Amino acid sequence: MSTPLLLRQQPLTAAAFAPFGEVIATDAAARHFPINGGTTERYHDLAQLQAGPEGRLIVSIFRGQPRTLPLTLVLMERHPLGSQAFVPLSGRPYLIVVARPGTAPRAEDLHCFAARADQGINYAPGVWHHPLLALQATSDFLVIDRAGPGSNCDEVGLTPGAVIAP
């Protein structure tokens, strides 16, 4: 049996996450401007949401159970027909594990990002990712993704797996 690969967390930044999608955040790099008579700041067009052929965008809330580190990863998934955006609602950090689109990823293809409580993400269509990785306590996420015809969730096992370091 092979030894799982140790994944180290890196901070979630727009530049580091760009091969996988977009970071959704109200930082200075985001295009923003005042609206509503100057009482509101609009952070504009933060993610390229894609419903794919014959699809439509839907809004859901996912309630994730907290994970404990170290955590062994044995499964990855992707949504080939549309994007999938996650925006945290519970004020807690969380983890993101991704691999580039294409053939099934291996442990050495994975990247682990530590997201702050004020950062959301949008996975581009076909990006491999681990299912929701909430930390600390049960956490809610606003999720915008695709509904429609066709198979839009592929899952693959990781052999050997990978372990996220604390």
Side-chain angles (χ1 to χ4, degrees):
M1 175 177 251
S2 299
T3 303
L5 178 74
L6 184 63
L7 287 179
R8 302 225 182 266
Q9 300 173 33
Q10 60 182 308
L12 178 63
T13 66
F17 195 73
F20 313 105
E22 298 95 17
V23 173
I24 301 170
T26 56
D27 58 25
R31 182 172 165 226
H32 59 99
F33 47 88
I35 60 171
N36 299 338
T39 63
T40 302
E41 191 73 12
R42 177 178 178 149
Y43 289 81
H44 186 71
D45 197 16
L46 299 176
Q48 297 188 24
L49 304 173
Q50 300 177 46
E54 300 179 38
R56 65 184 182 88
L57 293 175
I58 61 171
V59 175
S60 304
I61 292 179
F62 287 15
R63 182 161 289 158
Q65 299 304 307
R67 308 296 184 106
T68 303
L69 301 180
L71 176 67
T72 300
L73 308 177
V74 295
L75 172 80
M76 295 292 283
E77 68 179 31
R78 68 176 174 182
H79 305 285
L81 301 180
S83 62
Q84 190 177 46
F86 286 78
V87 179
L89 299 176
S90 298
R92 293 183 191 94
Y94 62 103
L95 296 177
I96 301 154
V97 176
V98 290
R100 294 179 188 267
T103 59
R106 299 166 301 168
E108 56 267 21
D109 300 326
L110 304 181
H111 302 266
C112 181
F113 294 99
R116 299 185 319 256
D118 64 342
Q119 293 177 303
I121 53 96
N122 182 46
Y123 296 122
V127 166
W128 290 100
H129 59 277
H130 191 275
L132 186 59
L133 292 169
L135 300 171
Q136 300 176 345
T138 300
S139 300
D140 289 347
F141 292 80
L142 180 78
V143 177
I144 304 169
D145 62 353
R146 179 191 189 276
S151 177
N152 192 34
C153 186
D154 300 328
E155 293 181 344
V156 296
L158 288 173
T159 306
V163 174
I164 300 174

